[in-house]
Amino acid sequence: MDSWQDIKQVVVVGLGITGLSVVNHVRKKHPGVTLRVMDSRENPPGAEQLPSGVELHTGSFNPEWLNQADLIVCNPGIALATPEIQQALNKGVRVVGDIELFAWANNKPVIAITGSNGKSTVTDLTGAMAKAAGINVGVGGNIGVPALDLLELNADLYVLELSSFQLETTSSLKTKVSTFLNLSEDHMDRYQGMEDYAQAKRRIFFNAEHALVNRDESETYPEDDELPVATFGFNDQDFGMREIDGRVWLVDNGEAIISTDQLRLVGKHNWSNALVACALLKLSGIDYRQGLACLTAYTGLSHRCQVVADEKGVKWVNDSKATNVASTLAALSGLSLAGKLYLLVGGVGKGADFSELAKPLSELNVTLCCFGRDGDEFMALHPSAVRYDTLNQVLTDMTPKLQTGDMVMLSPACASFDQFANFMARGDDFTQLAQQFSKQVS
């Protein structure tokens, strides 16, 4: 049955890049449909790019439009609990999101990825390895390009990062394989609790051919007992890890894939991300071994444990995206260094408790470099702690001390807005300084 049958009036709620992708898709594929857009913001981003003839309502929701619609396409940032959306739902109006529209239009294989942490890296890496294996691939969704815009590529495979918000309004997406990486507390202002949050993420398994789950987290398993399930984790079952002759290897059902010391990705959580990318490709019928050269060269997404300089045996790692304690803990997990770690922490702490960092720091050969407005909050965590004002000061002081085997990592556990516009600007500043100072290592 045609999902668009009897749909004559569509209201898009929420503009921005996602809303614009919906407008452009509907206008191109269903030109006979009447299209209206509303956004509760007075000056929504993307308004100037809206095609002429598309009516726009700003500054509030318009209940009359919503109740008259045959279909409402909701931006993922708009909660279904919004009273005006609930009123329309109660009147029988169908409410979907952009991913559901993608599902209606797409007939190519899809790999879908969700989770509280790591999903952007897994999505990007899976796409890069598929491309290296000779596949014409489109990568996007909650990262980068909106899913509906990807359809213009006419790719042979789509790799989609999907948030819980997107999944709330998605029920028809068919996938070759879907994965739910992990679950940690987030978005509790939107959900009734952790189970409600997990339930939204488990919708990724609707209409999947295979499920890939985290064997250490039962919450990531599908509720459908009939769905074939593969697992990943840190032991050597299924897709896992094994120590062979003192080296840690990624393994596929006992068969060694690649040793972790061949990867440029930093940290145990990133080894897991690499393992998941291989598993997703295999479960989709793609030979991941054709992408292993890509995997060894992959340095990560910008600002997420990204190696930005590697000179004279010293690695410089930009993890500016670590704006909270959990992210910095993930970056430290499984770090194995021949030399010393110079860890740069600080910024705006947002009232966080940093004491959880003390134990992993105690197990590392580390110098803790504390900077920014709340740098003092870190000083008691490790006897090595040194106080600075700026990133430039930190790197000026430490560079003459660096030796082969050392690592310099910015993983601040704090927001950036004391000294930078955002975490990207902070990461860019660190990257520029790292590339400058790395040349001075003796």
Side-chain angles (χ1 to χ4, degrees):
M1 176 185 159
D2 180 6
S3 300
W4 283 92
Q5 191 174 341
D6 301 326
I7 294 175
K8 296 179 174 59
Q9 292 201 50
V10 173
V11 174
V12 179
V13 183
L15 206 45
I17 61 168
T18 301
L20 281 172
S21 74
V22 172
V23 168
N24 293 331
H25 174 77
V26 174
R27 276 171 56 88
K28 182 176 180 180
K29 301 293 185 184
H30 308 280
V33 167
T34 300
L35 195 58
R36 289 166 158 174
V37 178
M38 72 175 68
D39 197 300
S40 59
R41 295 167 290 190
E42 288 289 351
N43 299 296
E48 69 287 348
Q49 296 169 257
L50 206 58
S52 60
V54 177
E55 206 173 346
L56 174 64
H57 174 94
T58 62
S60 66
F61 293 99
N62 185 326
E64 186 181 349
W65 283 13
L66 293 170
N67 295 334
Q68 290 173 352
D70 300 311
L71 182 71
I72 295 169
V73 186
C74 233
N75 187 288
I78 310 292
L80 292 179
T82 303
E84 292 86 351
I85 302 295
Q86 280 296 310
Q87 186 182 46
L89 281 165
N90 291 335
K91 288 184 178 292
V93 181
R94 193 171 186 187
V95 179
V96 301
D98 69 306
I99 302 302
E100 183 69 3
L101 295 191
F102 173 91
W104 293 356
N106 177 54
N107 59 6
K108 299 292 179 61
V110 174
I111 295 172
I113 297 143
T114 196
S116 298
N117 297 298
K119 57 185 179 292
S120 295
T121 297
V122 169
T123 302
D124 188 60
L125 177 56
T126 302
M129 290 181 69
K131 186 176 180 182
I135 309 293
N136 176 19
V137 61
V139 180
N142 191 50
I143 175 182
V145 181
L148 289 169
D149 288 350
L150 290 177
L151 290 171
E152 300 300 310
L153 300 175
N154 195 27
D156 296 320
L157 171 72
Y158 294 103
V159 181
L160 301 181
E161 175 187 320
L162 300 178
S163 70
S164 59
F165 296 173
Q166 288 172 311
L167 288 164
E168 286 174 25
T169 52
T170 303
S171 53
S172 305
L173 181 67
K174 293 179 179 176
T175 67
K176 294 297 287 184
V177 56
S178 291
T179 188
F180 182 175
L181 300 175
N182 47 55
L183 186 73
S184 60
E185 191 168 311
D186 206 355
H187 307 305
M188 289 300 105
D189 54 342
R190 176 116 163 199
Y191 296 106
Q192 303 291 315
M194 289 294 284
E195 178 52 30
D196 189 31
Y197 176 38
Q199 198 80 17
K201 286 198 169 292
R202 282 194 290 264
R203 292 177 66 89
I204 201 166
F205 297 122
F206 292 3
N207 308 303
E209 291 182 28
H210 297 274
L212 178 67
V213 302
N214 183 335
R215 61 176 163 268
D216 295 322
E217 295 192 29
S218 59
E219 301 89 350
T220 66
Y221 282 61
E223 291 165 340
D224 179 2
D225 294 336
E226 302 295 312
L227 183 59
V229 172
T231 70
F232 69 90
F234 293 117
N235 60 22
D236 63 358
Q237 301 168 31
D238 209 351
F239 293 95
M241 300 180 197
R242 176 188 294 168
E243 189 171 319
I244 304 171
D245 298 330
R247 302 165 77 193
V248 177
W249 287 73
L250 307 185
V251 294
D252 169 359
N253 292 280
E255 184 183 342
I257 301 173
I258 196 169
S259 70
T260 57
D261 57 13
Q262 292 176 267
L263 303 178
R264 297 189 69 190
L265 287 170
V266 172
K268 198 173 180 182
H269 66 298
N270 268 326
W271 300 348
S272 177
N273 291 338
L275 184 66
V276 169
C278 293
L280 289 171
L281 292 174
K282 182 178 180 180
L283 293 167
S284 301
I286 297 166
D287 182 3
Y288 62 76
R289 293 190 179 277
Q290 292 184 30
L292 290 183
C294 165
L295 177 56
T296 57
Y298 187 77
T299 58
L301 284 173
S302 296
H303 315 296
R304 291 176 175 89
C305 281
Q306 177 192 24
V307 178
V308 293
D310 189 349
E311 297 276 345
K312 296 176 183 168
V314 178
K315 281 189 168 67
W316 303 67
V317 180
N318 169 20
D319 191 34
S320 184
K321 181 69 165 61
T323 57
N324 56 43
V325 174
S327 296
T328 300
L329 285 169
L332 296 177
S333 173
L335 269 188
S336 178
L337 298 175
K340 176 176 282 194
L341 173 67
Y342 290 84
L343 181 66
L344 282 59
V345 293
V348 179
K350 300 175 289 186
D353 177 5
F354 299 113
S355 61
E356 277 187 87
L357 292 168
K359 186 174 187 299
L361 288 172
S362 71
E363 296 165 357
L364 291 166
N365 178 10
V366 65
T367 292
L368 193 62
C369 307
C370 313
F371 70 98
R373 192 185 82 182
D374 292 335
D376 288 343
E377 302 291 321
F378 295 86
M379 291 296 290
L381 296 179
H382 196 271
S384 69
V386 185
R387 185 68 163 98
Y388 301 91
D389 289 328
T390 66
L391 288 176
N392 198 321
Q393 278 186 7
V394 177
L395 300 192
T396 299
D397 182 52
M398 77 163 63
T399 299
K401 305 170 187 172
L402 293 173
Q403 299 178 8
T404 297
D406 290 351
M407 177 183 291
V408 181
M409 176 187 280
L410 170 68
S411 187
C414 287
S416 58
F417 48 80
D418 56 336
Q419 297 179 342
F420 301 94
N422 48 47
F423 75 82
M424 294 87 80
R426 176 173 63 191
D428 289 342
D429 188 52
F430 173 79
T431 298
Q432 185 178 358
L433 290 168
Q435 289 170 354
Q436 172 191 330
F437 279 99
S438 64
K439 307 292 185 195
Q440 300 174 21
V441 176
S442 57

